Amino acid sequence: MRWFWIDRFEEFVSGESARTVKNVSLAEEHLDDYNQTWPYMPPPLMIEGLAQTGGLLLGQISDFRARVVLAKVGRASFEKLARPGDRLTYDIRFLSQQVDGAIAEGTILLNDEPLGMVELVFATLSGPEFEKVELFQPHEFLRMLRSMRLFDVARYSDGSPVAIPEHLLAAERAFLSVNCP
Amino acid sequence: MASNDEVFEKVREALVDALAVDDSDVVPGATMVGDLGAESIDFLDIVYRLEKAFGISISRGELFPDDILTNAEYVSDGKVTASGLAQLKARMPFADLSKFEQNPLVQDFGNLLTVKDLCNYVQTKLA
């Protein structure tokens, strides 16, 4: 199973905010795993969707070189349940950014109606113990970003587009030259 | 200027929210790490909540000058040197370092800060 809990980006303002969507489908096995008789989207996986949205928003600031992880979930509230056929919208906005992480506020819409909110704390892993730690293979990471159509909508606050970082393109070229010569 | 009680109440609220501890746990003498269970990532959250509660700006290293502890000039055999202690005192006038001074092990520094120190720090920022 792919650990992708967002389907695509709809808005992305570098260093500020992002909006993604997730369509809930009965084809997803985790719905049965969570509650077989009355399937609905597990709220923890909505948090993961917000975390992926916010983590990519934070990672982009460093051209996706920083190792970003969800470090902590503050308050979280869910007013409704999302069922197969529903569309979830995840909005993330940074409240504070420091060199070692960020605080974000996430809101969730269910078919454009408020569903819940979550406070998230992201950390960037730095220090010698993490220097050789790769959270993702760069070419796979770029493929994921392309699949989520992040670069289709990503903009800086002045409206200029966010380009794909050269180091990710280089990794993709290197992968393709070996696997698809 | 906020009274000591007002500062304490806001600090307490920030710590309760950030650390999910009970109001009653947040007393002036409680240490952030040992008594309230703060982990390193919690300080990011705490700093944000203090900034928001008091309308102040806290730059990195101001509240927790860990750069001193990673500077070979100020650390020897796992202990902060006399010049390192002088630096810490200069950078942390809000903290009571008297106990730490007796055996200044770097590993113990993380558990130095108390709720009272945090309140003192906020008062210096508001002054």
Side-chain angles (χ1 to χ4, degrees):
Chain A
M1 185 175 74
R2 290 177 177 171
W3 195 250
F4 295 172
W5 296 105
I6 51 182
D7 289 337
R8 76 166 188 229
F9 277 83
E10 291 207 326
E11 294 173 18
F12 188 106
V13 181
S14 178
E16 294 180 10
S17 62
R19 165 174 280 196
T20 56
V21 293
K22 155 76 184 160
N23 291 298
V24 183
S25 168
L26 199 52
E28 297 170 276
E29 291 183 1
H30 65 274
L31 298 183
D32 287 343
D33 295 340
Y34 203 65
N35 190 340
Q36 196 163 25
T37 55
W38 201 81
Y40 66 95
M41 179 74 178
L45 291 178
M46 295 188 215
I47 294 178
E48 179 62 23
L50 281 169
Q52 292 187 357
T53 306
L56 292 172
L57 182 66
L58 183 60
Q60 186 275 323
I61 295 170
S62 63
D63 278 345
F64 302 106
R65 291 183 187 278
R67 300 169 190 84
V68 177
V69 296
L70 175 65
K72 178 175 156 182
V73 174
R75 293 178 188 173
S77 63
F78 301 89
E79 310 297 332
K80 298 173 183 171
L81 295 174
R83 306 207 60 204
D86 285 335
R87 171 188 166 100
L88 294 166
T89 303
Y90 299 135
D91 281 313
I92 279 280
R93 183 172 65 93
F94 285 146
L95 301 173
S96 171
Q97 280 181 56
Q98 303 272 345
V99 69
D100 46 3
I103 312 280
E105 179 183 71
T107 55
I108 305 170
L109 301 178
L110 172 69
N111 305 322
D112 300 326
E113 296 291 326
L115 181 149
M117 65 78 59
V118 183
E119 286 178 4
L120 307 109
V121 180
F122 295 96
T124 51
L125 305 179
S126 57
E129 67 270 38
F130 296 113
E131 272 175 15
K132 293 185 179 174
V133 175
E134 288 282 0
L135 299 181
F136 302 95
Q137 291 293 319
H139 68 278
E140 289 178 357
F141 185 69
L142 179 54
R143 187 172 61 187
M144 178 188 76
L145 297 181
R146 288 186 195 276
S147 299
M148 293 175 175
R149 291 186 264 178
L150 184 144
F151 294 105
D152 291 5
V153 297
R155 297 285 182 273
Y156 293 102
S157 55
D158 65 2
S160 59
V162 173
I164 300 175
E166 181 52 40
H167 74 99
L168 293 179
L169 290 171
E172 186 179 58
R173 284 194 296 271
F175 175 79
L176 292 174
S177 68
V178 173
N179 294 282
C180 306
Chain B
M1 178 149 170
S3 71
N4 288 342
D5 285 349
E6 286 168 340
V7 168
F8 176 72
E9 281 310 315
K10 284 188 177 181
V11 167
R12 169 147 60 186
E13 190 180 340
L15 295 176
V16 166
D17 287 346
L19 303 174
V21 291
D22 288 336
D23 278 18
S24 57
D25 293 331
V26 185
V27 295
T31 58
M32 303 292 295
V33 175
D35 294 330
L36 300 182
E39 297 181 13
S40 57
I41 192 62
D42 290 318
F43 286 102
L44 187 70
D45 198 4
I46 292 165
V47 163
Y48 165 69
R49 290 177 192 280
L50 292 178
E51 287 181 330
K52 194 173 152 190
F54 294 101
I56 57 177
S57 176
I58 302 172
S59 51
R60 183 179 165 81
E62 200 175 300
L63 191 52
F64 316 102
D66 48 3
D67 56 308
I68 292 173
L69 306 176
T70 53
N71 188 333
E73 191 183 337
Y74 299 130
V75 176
S76 176
D77 292 333
K79 286 190 175 186
V80 181
T81 62
S83 57
L85 282 169
Q87 284 288 325
L88 285 176
K89 283 182 183 174
R91 295 265 296 273
M92 301 176 73
F94 51 86
D96 179 4
L97 299 175
S98 56
K99 199 173 169 187
F100 179 71
E101 269 185 298
Q102 293 168 18
N103 189 19
L105 288 167
V106 171
Q107 65 189 44
D108 292 343
F109 182 80
N111 198 29
L112 181 71
L113 217 61
T114 63
V115 173
K116 185 170 186 293
D117 294 334
L118 216 53
C119 293
N120 290 342
Y121 170 76
V122 169
Q123 286 286 20
T124 63
K125 295 290 286 186
L126 294 175

